[in-house]
Amino acid sequence: VLAEDREKTNRVAAEIVGGAAANDFENRYARKDGSVIHMLWSAYWSDADKIMFAVGHDITERARHAAALNQAKEDADRANRAKSEFLSRMSHELRTPMNAILGFAQLLEMDALTSDQSEGVKHILRGGHHLLELINEILDLSRIEAGRMSLSLEPVQLEPVLRETLALVHPLAAERGVRLNSLPHCDAFILVDRQRLKQVLLNLLSNAIKYNRLNGSVTIRCEEENQHVRILISDTGAGIPANRLADLFTPFERLGAEQSTAEGTGLGLAVTKRFVEAMKGTITVESERGEGSTFAVEFARVKSPLENAELVDALAEAPPAVSAGEYTILYIEDNLSNLLLIKRVLQHRPGVKLLSANNGIRGIDLARETQPDIILLDLNLPDMAGRDVLLCLRADPQCAAIPIIVISADATRGQIDRLMRVGASDYLTKPLDVKQFLGTLDRGLREGELAALAS
């Protein structure tokens, strides 16, 4: 028996003599010629015969294959991590010169230029924005592959997000003469990350417009089921050959680019697919040459945060633990349904005034202006990460002492610990436990009262 395996072999042998059967026990032996073999044993002790019965199988070849597979997996994982880290680092590094290129080009655009100079500046800006789009998509792709993509899955009402996205692509559609058919009524709630859903829809709608025919159209439909909601985006473009559909979601593949003047990176659909799958959804495509294409994304359907309003009322009946008075709470949150839920719950605290901000910058400004008694903070904001908002508030002498309660759909222990370490007063997870929320709120207000009395 190899020296490294003797201790465990003796231990298992003693257990067998003691009455325990050994199944699938592995150890290694050295042959006289110095080669090593792997053995797989099954053994038991017979009290009647006072002997150990054992069957051994030579599994050297199997062990060699397993070791080779493990090594190959480790090598692939290491290469993938190195690639993702390189892409992420380069994406960040490229932003610095791009800032100067786009910034000074925009300043030049504001000067009095000749027609040739103006045309040249437009080319610089167009190329710069195209490169910036590529940098952003590479960064997203590398984050997903490295497992560093932050997602906050929560109930999101679909229709407002669709309207916002359509408003963003409307100028592009007008420029290319593409008609956007009227949005269907779809008030369902789906379990997604709001910002990533918007990015998915923006990508699919932009593609449907860019690769459409002159005077074509884009149609959006919603199909609601008990458990799922499907969003279908159809165009009247040239379509995609059936034998090329499998390549659609491959990075840097731009199918049909040779027949189109539309700029693109070839990464948009690859990133979109990964976003959809990260949100536990599916994406499919159907296309026919000359008839256009239809992309469909499907997500789990969930209840509205306000659907159980009676339950909220029942749970919120507990009397406040603070003296009656005028308190101000600032909620930094871009999801209207979550905001409405907090408004509904706070009806049971008549002495509390609620202010709201739908992005991080506005939230920081409001905190400085109003000096609220408590700040409620979502982590997934459209303009900056909630963690950065927290750090800004804690670094500001005007706001450093204000209790900040994080409310997030991310319930991982590591995330909670990180936020508490950098200054969160408390951390609540969605869906909210109303009693816990009110208890945390009352405790924060009570501590604020005590601090005011002590000062």
Side-chain angles (χ1 to χ4, degrees):
V1 179
L2 282 191
E4 297 88 343
D5 289 356
R6 287 174 190 167
E7 182 182 347
K8 71 173 184 179
T9 302
N10 285 329
R11 184 182 68 251
V12 171
E15 291 172 357
I16 295 169
V17 173
N23 295 308
D24 299 331
F25 169 67
E26 292 185 36
N27 64 357
R28 294 166 297 173
Y29 291 79
R31 285 181 169 143
K32 287 183 179 180
D33 62 5
S35 62
V36 174
I37 62 169
H38 292 250
M39 294 294 293
L40 179 69
W41 295 97
S42 294
Y44 74 95
W45 177 259
S46 170
D47 274 333
D49 299 306
K50 300 300 179 185
I51 194 171
M52 182 187 296
F53 290 89
V55 177
H57 297 275
D58 184 343
I59 59 166
T60 306
E61 198 61 29
R62 189 178 83 180
R64 187 177 295 122
H65 284 308
L69 283 172
N70 285 335
Q71 186 61 47
K73 182 178 182 302
E74 287 177 11
D75 291 344
D77 289 344
R78 192 181 304 110
N80 194 47
R81 284 195 302 272
K83 179 198 69 175
S84 295
E85 288 167 6
F86 171 76
L87 289 174
S88 180
R89 186 166 60 251
M90 288 307 299
S91 296
H92 281 295
E93 292 296 330
L94 287 169
R95 285 175 180 275
T96 301
M98 284 308 304
N99 182 56
I101 292 168
L102 290 173
F104 283 111
Q106 289 173 80
L107 289 175
L108 280 173
E109 191 179 33
M110 296 166 65
D111 292 341
L113 303 173
T114 67
S115 59
D116 286 345
Q117 289 172 333
S118 179
E119 186 65 25
V121 170
K122 285 181 180 176
H123 280 298
I124 293 172
L125 286 169
R126 189 180 301 115
H129 284 298
H130 177 62
L131 185 54
L132 187 60
E133 181 185 350
L134 176 61
I135 291 168
N136 289 336
E137 289 182 337
I138 287 175
L139 185 58
D140 281 338
L141 192 63
S142 63
R143 281 174 177 165
I144 296 168
E145 290 183 347
R148 293 196 300 267
M149 177 58 65
S150 175
L151 290 173
S152 177
L153 301 182
E154 57 185 322
V156 172
Q157 191 171 18
L158 179 56
E159 189 166 323
V161 181
L162 281 170
R163 292 194 183 282
E164 288 176 30
T165 312
L166 279 170
L168 289 172
V169 300
H170 192 271
L172 178 64
E175 178 187 331
R176 296 175 182 263
V178 174
R179 185 178 71 258
L180 297 176
N181 290 332
S182 58
L183 175 68
H185 180 65
C186 186
D187 59 358
F189 281 76
I190 54 179
L191 189 66
V192 290
D193 179 297
R194 192 177 192 278
Q195 295 308 315
R196 299 306 179 189
L197 171 65
K198 197 170 174 181
Q199 200 167 342
V200 165
L201 295 174
L202 189 60
N203 204 329
L204 294 177
L205 284 168
S206 298
N207 281 351
I209 294 167
K210 288 193 296 185
Y211 298 103
N212 216 313
R213 59 177 170 79
L214 186 65
N215 299 320
S217 65
V218 174
T219 302
I220 303 170
R221 293 178 288 128
C222 290
E223 296 177 354
E224 301 181 34
E225 299 176 2
N226 289 335
Q227 303 297 326
H228 297 91
V229 175
R230 295 180 80 223
I231 309 154
L232 300 101
I233 297 174
S234 303
D235 63 61
T236 54
I240 303 161
N243 64 337
R244 300 298 306 279
L245 285 175
D247 299 328
L248 262 181
F249 302 103
T250 302
F252 301 107
E253 283 283 355
R254 292 190 63 217
L255 305 191
E258 60 278 3
Q259 290 99 26
S260 172
T261 59
E263 291 183 342
T265 63
L267 276 175
L269 284 175
V271 172
T272 295
K273 184 174 189 291
R274 284 163 172 79
F275 278 155
V276 170
E277 291 173 349
M279 294 187 286
K280 314 299 182 187
T282 59
I283 181 168
T284 55
V285 59
E286 294 180 359
S287 188
E288 188 174 337
R289 289 307 301 268
E291 299 295 330
S293 306
T294 297
F295 285 82
V297 288
E298 184 173 303
F299 297 104
R301 182 173 185 168
V302 291
K303 290 183 179 180
S304 158
L306 294 175
E307 197 163 322
N308 294 324
E310 295 81 5
L311 178 61
V312 169
D313 289 339
L315 290 173
E317 288 302 326
V322 292
S323 58
E326 189 69 27
Y327 302 99
T328 302
I329 293 176
L330 170 62
Y331 190 14
I332 306 175
E333 166 69 84
D334 67 320
N335 189 318
L336 183 59
S337 299
N338 291 332
L339 179 60
L340 291 174
L341 176 64
I342 296 299
K343 281 183 177 178
R344 180 66 177 269
V345 172
L346 290 181
Q347 289 175 1
H348 300 270
R349 296 295 184 269
V352 172
K353 176 184 177 184
L354 181 65
L355 303 175
S356 64
N358 62 4
N359 63 64
I361 293 173
R362 177 61 180 150
I364 293 169
D365 290 342
L366 262 181
R368 289 168 177 160
E369 291 170 17
T370 62
Q371 293 292 292
D373 296 285
I374 284 182
I375 296 171
L376 308 177
L377 176 63
D378 180 46
L379 294 182
N380 199 38
L381 299 169
D383 59 338
M384 59 191 299
R387 182 180 185 275
D388 294 335
V389 175
L390 175 62
L391 292 172
C392 286
L393 292 171
R394 284 293 175 246
D396 189 329
Q398 299 180 72
C399 306
I402 301 173
I404 300 175
I405 301 172
V406 172
I407 302 178
S408 172
D410 188 341
T412 56
R413 187 71 251 171
Q415 175 77 313
I416 295 171
D417 291 342
R418 284 191 295 270
L419 270 294
M420 295 297 289
R421 280 198 300 270
V422 296
S425 307
D426 221 315
Y427 192 111
L428 301 178
T429 57
K430 301 172 185 175
L432 273 181
D433 180 315
V434 176
K435 281 187 176 179
Q436 182 190 22
F437 168 70
L438 287 172
T440 304
L441 195 65
D442 291 341
R443 186 168 59 252
L445 293 173
R446 185 169 61 247
E447 289 170 358
E449 282 185 346
L450 295 172
L453 287 172
S455 61

